[in-house]
Amino acid sequence: MIIVLTPQATDKDVDELTDNLKSRGFGVHISRGVERTIVGCIGVLDTEKAELSEQLQALPYVERVVIISKPYKLVGRAFRPEGTIINVRGVEIGGNRLTVMAGPCTIETEEQLMETARFVKQMGAHILRGGAYKPSTSPYSFQGMGKDGLKLLAAAREETGLPIITEVMDTRDVELVAQYTDIFQVGTRNMTNFALLKEIGNTNMPVLLKRGWASLIEEWMQAAEYIASRGNYNIILCERGIRTFETYTRNTFDINAIPVAKELSHLPVIADPSHGTGKASLVPAVAAAAIAAGADGVIVEVHPHPERALKDGPQSLRFEAFAQMMERLRALAPAVGRSI
Ligand code: PEP
Ligand code: MN
């Protein structure tokens, strides 16, 4: 259940309530909004809810108690109605300004990464992406540069000032990747890797959680809840397309998922039109559609020579195409009340 406190509630009230709930064996999560504090209480049995709710309602600093029947509570909209803004080295994700994350699918060489980082920065990107640990369908394809790739990413951040995002696939790599990255990426194949979600939940690092390619939106929300339930609320949702009967595009970008996720959750939502389409020519249009639908930003793959890319070349934007996409988003942003 969620306990909404009055705007007058003091820190002492919050402490008193927390102690009260913890002494009964419940988990307590606190969301401090601008206007009021909301307390999430986890672990209450259905049979206890009505009575507990009545008791809490009687407290002078409690405005109302909301019983949440959904299996995700901490990431649900009611827990933070005003929405979550995640600050990554000064870049706000989920605020009025749209966030553009861009870079190669996979880090291949220092030159490839640096050239791309400089260009996307120049064009106004806010965050640099690059894969060092790659989830490959085939065990024989390139698996990524690993730690050497992380070092190159950190060097690119050093030079450009862009915060970085990279994928982590294995619980054993969480500690190492955390030493380099600013945002963890959990890929589509790992959305239901609960051990990984829990490990990331134990950190306080921002994480971009991609929707599983065959996952229901509600399963995606529960994956986010796994992370939040460990105390890490710095979660960014990412729609990257799902598998349908259509094979013309690599995946089917589920545009519905954008407003649905914004409605269900308070977390920022980012769109990945690169994996959502698999075709560079379609990326700018789907990026624009996602922004129009309410996404808080996009993550796109950019490569100086897509024809030579070790991974995801067909969906990687050339520099020129990235520049054009930025121009398009810049024109669109004010129409949906956003800046970029
Ligand atoms: C990627 O971002 O390069 C990637 C592998 O994404 P996804 O997990 O969405 O396939
Ligand atoms: Mn990729």
Side-chain angles (χ1 to χ4, degrees), residues 188-189 191 210-215 240-244 251:
T188 195
R189 296 162 187 80
M191 189 205 86
K210 291 204 175 190
R211 177 181 176 190
W213 51 268
S215 295
R240 51 78 70 199
I242 50 175
R243 185 172 289 182
T244 67
N251 288 292

Side-chain angles (χ1 to χ4, degrees), residues 64-284:
R64 71 198 138 89
V65 177
V66 187
I67 295 177
I68 310 270
S69 52
K70 289 201 164 80
Y72 46 94
K73 303 167 198 301
L74 304 174
V75 304
R77 185 48 86 167
F79 190 49
R80 209 177 267 169
E82 73 278 19
T84 287
I85 297 178
I86 296 172
N87 192 310
V88 184
R89 289 182 181 259
V91 174
E92 287 192 342
I93 305 170
N96 185 265
R97 185 184 289 268
L98 298 170
T99 307
V100 176
M101 309 184 184
C105 172
T106 305
I107 303 157
E108 299 167 3
T109 63
E110 180 175 0
E111 194 192 356
Q112 170 243 20
L113 181 66
M114 289 311 306
E115 207 184 322
T116 310
R118 287 182 197 121
F119 185 78
V120 300
K121 159 86 183 183
Q122 197 190 333
M123 289 302 126
H126 310 96
I127 289 173
L128 176 66
R129 65 151 287 153
Y133 295 89
K134 293 308 299 179
S136 291
T137 302
S138 163
Y140 305 118
S141 60
F142 185 50
Q143 306 284 311
M145 288 180 75
K147 190 173 176 180
D148 290 341
L150 297 177
K151 287 182 178 163
L152 291 179
L153 264 183
R157 171 180 58 206
E158 184 73 26
E159 190 194 304
T160 60
L162 293 174
I164 54 183
I165 175 168
T166 198
E167 178 159 0
V168 60
M169 298 195 295
D170 192 312
T171 50
R172 292 167 295 187
D173 296 330
V174 168
E175 209 179 314
L176 175 71
V177 175
Q179 284 168 21
Y180 291 90
T181 199
D182 299 306
I183 309 174
F184 288 124
Q185 176 174 320
V186 172
T188 195
R189 296 162 187 80
N190 276 308
M191 189 205 86
T192 50
N193 180 343
F194 301 118
L196 182 66
L197 301 179
K198 287 186 201 168
E199 196 70 27
I200 289 174
N202 290 338
T203 75
N204 207 27
M205 296 261 306
V207 48
L208 179 128
L209 176 66
K210 291 204 175 190
R211 177 181 176 190
W213 51 268
S215 295
L216 300 176
I217 293 173
E218 296 228 319
E219 291 166 341
W220 184 29
M221 296 299 139
Q222 289 176 83
E225 186 82 8
Y226 256 96
I227 301 170
S229 68
R230 296 276 163 151
N232 184 356
Y233 308 130
N234 296 315
I235 308 160
I236 303 153
L237 298 169
C238 177
E239 162 61 32
R240 51 78 70 199
I242 50 175
R243 185 172 289 182
T244 67
F245 61 82
E246 180 59 78
T247 56
Y248 184 80
T249 48
R250 181 177 174 182
N251 288 292
T252 296
F253 184 84
D254 183 6
I255 195 79
N256 296 352
I258 304 286
V260 171
K262 293 297 294 183
E263 204 169 271
L264 295 181
S265 172
H266 55 79
L267 299 170
V269 178
I270 296 286
D272 176 351
S274 303
H275 295 86
T277 62
K279 285 184 162 66
S281 65
L282 306 176
V283 168

